[in-house]
Amino acid sequence: MTNSPRPGASRNCLAIAGLLASVTLLPADPVFTEHAIRTGYSRPWSVYAPDFDGDQDIDIVAALDGESRFAWFENNGDSTFTDHTIGEWYGAARVFVVDLDQDHDLDVLVSACEALPGRMGWFENDGNQNWTEHAIKDSWPYANSVHAADLDRDGDLDIIATASQASQFCWFENDGNQNWTEHVIEQGYGWPGSAWAVDLDQDQDLDLLATCCIENEVAWYENDGSQNFTRRLFAAGYSCPHMVMPADVDADGDSDLVVTATEGNRVAWFENDGLQNFTEHMITTQFTAACGFCVVDLDRDGDRDIVVVGDWGNRVAWFEQTAAGVFEERAMNPKATSVLSTPCTRLPAAAPVFDACGRRVNASRPAPGVYFLRAQPHLTGKVTIGGTR
């Protein structure tokens, strides 16, 4: 995360979006309905979705900044959740779920950011979701990202983390027993964030990614194989870059990079030519407070789409990859309030008509499928065209 102001920020509901089974001939068209896990939460900051208790359903882990705690929400199997506290840290900000001690259960890496003194550590799971707190670095101002990977290739998981106001980008070497040796990668580089590990140059060691808020830059750090890192700048002029992650967007076998910028309102991807020369492709410059995202084949059509959230923009949307490297924004949760359940052969001409991905269609020549009618400002009706089930 960056430490830019968030005018009008309101995080009073922790929710997840569930993929619905759409009645359509095109199973690639996702439609989403929001389900509140519980309302009234104060500033839920980050979220992760593992199966914590091994019961074959997905639980939720979240950092609740306003409540100064990390929590997991046990899926009861009927779309209801039970709230459990993992631990209490002032300024709870980030969670990353991984089996850190390799004992076959899931632990939680955490950081505390928007409060002093700031800290980073982990909560050890005993296998029954009883937690033991381990602080790795205390008094680390604005510890804002944490990630795990076997950076030194010795068979255990190390930690990569940043602290923005400390202006530090570090990795913490694991001796195999969760004793940690700190190594500073970058010191004094203004407000780093979004630490991530990936073998970007495909030379069999892990390189690193990070944003730099004050410098408005995004860089990758080349590993020489002995954990000596050289910064390689690939994006400049991005006002408060928030997050960077690798993804093979163009499916050519190498890792491209996706970036969001909170104050720049940008979502972009950078095409890797295989030699770490990057070409910028701007997806949008109008996504207010673009921050967290994930890259996934959301519509199951064989390419990568991007789901993005806007911090004080109060917005969730996905960008469909409609052609190689070309993206179009789609709404996450069209609100259909009425349904014509009997299949018909034509669409009403009284209102604009859109398919399940938000694309306007020709009402006089529809293919079989599900369509939505728009009466501003929301989608207000759903029509099934013959041939669907």
Side-chain angles (χ1 to χ4, degrees), residues 24-68:
T24 174
L25 286 184
L26 301 173
D29 289 350
V31 179
F32 294 87
T33 299
E34 180 178 318
H35 299 273
I37 294 175
R38 183 181 139 195
T39 59
Y41 286 106
S42 175
R43 300 183 70 205
W45 193 262
S46 65
V47 66
Y48 213 93
D51 179 7
F52 250 147
D53 48 10
D55 61 354
Q56 307 305 307
D57 54 32
I58 299 300
D59 308 302
I60 303 295
V61 182
L64 306 175
D65 183 9
E67 298 180 16
S68 298

Side-chain angles (χ1 to χ4, degrees), residues 94-96 109-111 120-121 144-148 159-162 195:
R94 291 293 181 223
V95 292
F96 184 82
L109 282 172
V110 298
S111 69
M120 183 273 294
N144 61 355
S145 70
V146 62
H147 181 59
I159 293 174
I160 306 100
T162 57

Side-chain angles (χ1 to χ4, degrees), residues 178-226:
Q178 292 66 248
N179 301 306
W180 309 94
T181 301
E182 179 180 344
H183 302 272
V184 176
I185 299 164
E186 188 91 82
Q187 174 72 53
Y189 190 44
W191 286 16
S194 190
W196 201 265
V198 60
D199 185 5
L200 193 62
D201 52 9
Q202 298 181 324
D203 63 352
Q204 309 306 309
D205 56 39
L206 289 174
D207 310 299
L208 302 177
L209 306 174
T211 60
C212 182
C213 180
I214 293 297
E215 303 296 337
N216 298 324
E217 295 176 346
V218 191
W220 71 283
Y221 290 76
E222 183 178 359
N223 187 349
D224 68 358
S226 298

Side-chain angles (χ1 to χ4, degrees), residues 1-2 4-11 43 45 65 114 311-312:
M1 59 153 286
T2 61
S4 51
R6 301 180 313 285
S10 176
R11 301 180 181 83
R43 300 183 70 205
W45 193 262
D65 183 9
E114 290 210 337
D311 188 343
W312 63 84

Side-chain angles (χ1 to χ4, degrees), residues 277-298:
N277 301 306
F278 292 94
T279 301
E280 178 191 65
H281 299 275
M282 190 63 62
I283 297 172
T284 181
T285 59
Q286 302 297 318
F287 200 96
T288 302
C291 52
F293 67 87
C294 65
V295 182
V296 63
D297 184 6
L298 193 60

